Amino acid sequence: MEKVSVLMSAIKGNLHHYHSTSFIYGNRQHLLLEGHEGQRILSRAKRGWVWNQMFVLEEFSGPDPILVGRLHTDLDMGNKNIKYVLAGEGAGTIFAINERTGDIHAMKRLDREEKAEYTLTAQVIDRDTNQPLEPPSEFIIKVQDINDNPPQFNEGPYKGSVPEISQVGTSVTRVTATDADDPVYGNSARLVYSILEGQPYFSIDQTTAVIRVALAGMDREMREEYLVVIQAKDMGGHMGGLSGTTTVTVTLTDINDNPPKFTKGSYEFTIPEDLGIGKPGGRVKANDRDIGENAKSTYSIIGGDERDIFEIVTDAQSQEGILRLKKPLDFESKKSYNLTVVATNIRADSITGGPYMDQAMVKVIVEDADEPPVFTKSTYLFDVHENAAINTVIGAVAARDQDTTHSQVRYFIDRHTDLERQFNINVDDGKITLAKRLDRETDMWHNITVTATEVRNHSQISRVTVAIKVLDINDNAPEFANEYEAFLCENGKPGQVIQTISAVDKDNPSQGHTFHYRLEMLNNPNFTIKNNLDNSISVLAKHDSFRRQKQDTYLLPIIVTDNGEPPMSSTNTLTIRVCGCSREGIVQSCNVEAFVLPIGLSMGALIAILACIILLLVIMVLFVTLRRHKNEPLIIKDDEDVRENIIRYDDEGGGEEDTEAFDIATLQNPDGINGYLPRKDIKPDLQFMPRQGQHSGPNGVDVDEFINVRLHEADNDPTAPPYDSIQIYGYEGRGSIAGSLSSLETASSDSDQNYDYLREWGPRFRRLGELYSVGESDKET
């Protein structure tokens, strides 16, 4: 192993001390050397010269490189083939080595707060072959702290609060400062706290940084907020240390240490006597210098309200006391009141021993007002029998004007509450009479509203409710509770219960209903009744010879009588059907046809056979009807309707006087000569006897008479269908002032009429419009 010597040199002002410690790794001895500036320290190992050192270098921020140390080996005899190599943390970036001399320099700023130490490796290699000439050795460069970071309050500025009038020493809040310097080495990170502003009100513990009250009796109402400036200084507070500051806003919180105080010692309000219940009559105010809940007060009346007419409540928004009425005022009975009102804080404070209160006098002067009449009762209750005669007096209401004028009163019924006008009232004395008869079963109660109005002032109106109860009389007969339909088994025994019957009565007697039942036929041979002693009866069969073939239904009239005065009765009929039953008495069939059914053929099969027969009959009827329609069509088809056909003639007629071009006798039906016109649109049920018609020769045809005859025959034909039949005739009538309706003359006329509007009347008139348009175009041509 070649010898290696290590040269450590330091530049004055940057490297102060070297710390040395001797320790062994394997068979190699490593030395940590301690020396001073300019010393050279060599170490020898058993297997040659090796080194492993810890260099302590203060952090710096200068721009120039700093020499950390120098490496040297015994192999370096001025031979240029030796090359020093540095590797590890920061090698080549922060630290650089002169490959020829072995000098190590710090090239960048060293900051202990960023990295406190660096581990590097040094080695000597052959410059030509890059082969190591001796093993690598590891050493550490430790950055020593200097006081280059001031204290900082990372959470500032701070806010704190403390109740007013707190004792000295009461804790307000705590602040915390941090220092990035090394807390182990020196006093660079040792902090001391002090107050720069905020004395003599507050103090701070210089070690714990707890802010406390330093002055007793601080009043929030005098000053609510304080700004305290706190300083933290390192180096234990000694000269040359760095410092940082922060602010603390201390707020005094309120306690209930002030009583409410009325703005005035006495108040006076004038309240009209007609002020409504619950309406405000005045406001009082007690101010409190406290805030929040501590400033809230309640108001109460502690004197002068013996009649319990007034109340005072607190307005949650304005904290005013609102004087309201609990009962109506009466100027005639009392004209003024002297009230004692107290304002009391809601919250009591344990420090001051509250709550506090204040009181004031309130004088209330009642002002006279024109009041509406007052009824003698708040409600009236009358009763009347439902059979009472019209104009019967039901009862009377009374109202009085309590004002000093004592105006007369008039009474009226609010017709919105008596829409059917069943009651009347005397406008002068308030007597209520019956206008229509009443029916308790329709309405048992009638609630009407009666108004009382002053004659002197019609705007003064008061109202009262009158309840009229309609008393019952026995005016309704009892009747069956249900529409009963009873079933009787053929194989039943005599005395079997057929049906249980009960009755109802619309009347409501005070002693309750009692009904009496009896058969209309006292000695009925088939049925009898049994009283069940609960206002119901049971209908029993007298024998067992009931047969459906003989009689399948029995009608049993039963008379029901009530116990009213006078008694009312009604006859109700019970329908009893005879049915076939099983041995257990279960009804199976009540039809007489069931006896004529063939054995072994079910009801479903018979219904299916009957349905098939009906279907065949329907098919046969349709077939015959279609054959008849095919041979003799009954109605004219739509496409053959002469009303929709346009027939053009090449010859121009001679008018109504022309009898040569068209023979009017063609209107006559050859069958109509005999006076009988057969109808083909229906099948007559009765044989219509022909009548002798009038004979007219072809040359002497009277069309007017011919039409009247046909019209008379159509009106009196019993086989005519029940619908209108439109018959069109081409006869205008004698002496018509309308002139000819023929369109043949239109084309030759001198009229300039425009027929385009006919196209807007729909598809039926569009064709007509086109024809007239063609006529106009031909005329122009």
Side-chain angles (χ1 to χ4, degrees), residues 24 34 40 53 66 75 80 116 118 152 261 333 349 373 409 427 432 447 452 473 480 615 633 642 650 696 734 781:
I24 305 273
E34 180 180 356
R40 293 187 178 183
Q53 304 287 345
I66 297 178
L75 298 177
K80 295 182 180 181
Y118 300 86
Q152 293 183 352
K261 187 68 175 176
S333 61
D349 198 284
V409 177
V427 295
I432 301 174
N447 295 316
I473 64 171
F480 280 174
L615 182 61
V642 297
D650 293 334
S696 298
R734 295 189 181 93
T781 303

Side-chain angles (χ1 to χ4, degrees), residues 28 46 186 208 316 341 409 450 468 548 558 568 686 703 720 758:
R28 184 177 300 174
K46 295 179 181 179
T208 61
V341 178
V409 177
V450 175
I468 301 174
R548 279 178 288 175
I558 300 176
M568 301 291 292
L686 300 175
V703 178
L758 294 176

Side-chain angles (χ1 to χ4, degrees), residues 169-411:
T170 303
S171 176
V172 178
T173 186
R174 180 180 180 178
V175 298
T176 303
T178 59
D179 196 318
D181 292 326
D182 191 355
V184 178
Y185 179 76
N187 295 326
S188 299
R190 181 186 172 190
L191 305 180
V192 174
Y193 298 90
S194 61
I195 291 181
L196 299 182
E197 294 181 17
Q199 295 175 339
Y201 307 105
F202 302 97
S203 64
I204 188 170
D205 189 296
Q206 63 177 1
T207 304
T208 61
V210 176
I211 301 174
R212 301 181 185 275
V213 174
L215 182 63
M218 288 190 292
D219 190 1
R220 185 202 64 83
E221 286 73 32
M222 299 298 295
R223 183 178 177 183
E224 183 177 5
E225 191 173 272
Y226 296 84
L227 184 64
V228 181
V229 179
I230 304 297
Q231 181 190 62
K233 190 174 184 180
D234 59 12
M235 299 299 292
H238 294 106
M239 185 71 66
L242 303 178
S243 64
T245 59
T246 188
T247 59
V248 180
T249 303
V250 180
T251 303
L252 298 183
T253 58
D254 185 58
I255 64 173
N256 190 17
D257 59 339
N258 293 280
K261 187 68 175 176
F262 281 102
T263 56
K264 295 189 296 184
S266 63
Y267 298 83
E268 183 175 311
F269 303 111
T270 299
I271 302 177
E273 64 173 333
D274 59 352
L275 183 68
I277 302 299
K279 298 295 183 179
R283 289 174 176 260
V284 296
K285 178 66 180 295
N287 296 320
D288 196 321
R289 297 178 63 194
D290 296 321
I291 60 174
E293 294 294 326
N294 295 322
K296 292 183 178 181
S297 300
T298 59
Y299 298 86
S300 60
I301 300 174
I302 62 174
D305 188 21
E306 294 79 9
R307 299 185 181 184
D308 195 25
I309 295 178
F310 301 95
E311 66 177 355
I312 189 167
V313 296
T314 304
D315 188 329
Q317 299 296 329
S318 63
Q319 288 298 304
E320 292 178 315
I322 304 174
L323 187 66
R324 303 190 308 189
L325 293 182
K326 294 173 60 178
K327 297 178 182 179
L329 296 173
D330 187 7
F331 174 81
E332 289 72 24
S333 61
K334 193 170 183 178
K335 297 178 175 58
S336 65
Y337 297 86
N338 293 313
L339 308 178
T340 302
V341 178
V342 173
T344 307
N345 282 144
I346 296 176
R347 175 179 293 182
D349 198 284
S350 59
I351 298 177
T352 59
Y356 300 102
M357 63 179 60
D358 190 21
Q359 70 179 27
M361 298 300 298
V362 178
K363 183 177 182 180
V364 178
I365 299 175
V366 181
E367 183 181 38
D368 190 20
D370 189 7
E371 299 174 293
V374 178
F375 283 95
T376 57
K377 295 181 180 180
S378 58
T379 58
Y380 290 87
L381 176 63
F382 303 124
D383 55 61
V384 60
H385 285 89
E386 60 178 328
N387 65 340
I390 296 177
N391 294 327
T392 299
V393 177
I394 301 173
V397 297
R400 179 176 177 271
D401 182 16
Q402 296 183 349
D403 295 327
T404 55
T405 57
H406 297 296
S407 173
Q408 293 183 351
V409 177
R410 294 290 182 264
Y411 303 93

Side-chain angles (χ1 to χ4, degrees), residues 549-703:
Q549 301 91 331
K550 181 180 179 181
Q551 185 174 349
D552 62 341
T553 303
Y554 292 86
L555 301 178
L556 182 63
I558 300 176
I559 300 175
V560 186
T561 307
D562 60 18
N563 61 333
E565 186 62 35
M568 301 291 292
S569 62
S570 66
T571 301
N572 301 266
T573 301
L574 175 66
T575 302
I576 303 175
R577 301 182 62 187
V578 182
C579 304
C581 303
S582 63
R583 294 181 179 180
E584 294 78 13
I586 300 175
V587 177
Q588 291 182 339
S589 175
C590 298
N591 298 325
V592 179
E593 291 78 4
F595 285 92
V596 300
L597 295 178
I599 300 176
L601 195 59
S602 64
M603 179 65 68
L606 291 177
I607 294 175
I609 293 174
L610 182 61
C612 293
I613 294 173
I614 294 174
L615 182 61
L616 290 175
L617 291 175
V618 172
I619 293 174
M620 292 177 63
V621 170
L622 291 176
F623 179 75
V624 173
T625 303
L626 292 176
R627 288 290 301 273
R628 180 173 296 178
H629 277 275
K630 183 176 181 181
N631 295 333
E632 297 179 2
L634 299 180
I635 59 176
I636 301 175
K637 295 183 181 180
D638 293 339
D639 55 356
E640 297 177 357
D641 193 347
V642 297
R643 289 170 294 179
E644 297 182 0
N645 294 335
I646 300 175
I647 302 174
R648 296 190 178 184
Y649 300 92
D650 293 334
D651 57 340
E652 183 176 354
E656 297 178 1
E657 303 299 331
D658 185 7
T659 58
E660 300 295 335
F662 181 71
D663 189 1
I664 198 66
T666 56
L667 289 176
Q668 291 180 328
N669 192 318
D671 295 333
I673 299 176
N674 297 327
Y676 172 68
L677 183 62
R679 302 296 298 267
K680 296 182 179 182
D681 52 349
I682 63 170
K683 181 179 180 181
D685 294 332
L686 300 175
Q687 183 65 34
F688 184 72
M689 299 302 296
R691 295 183 301 172
Q692 185 68 26
Q694 298 179 357
H695 298 276
S696 298
N699 298 325
V701 176
D702 189 345
V703 178

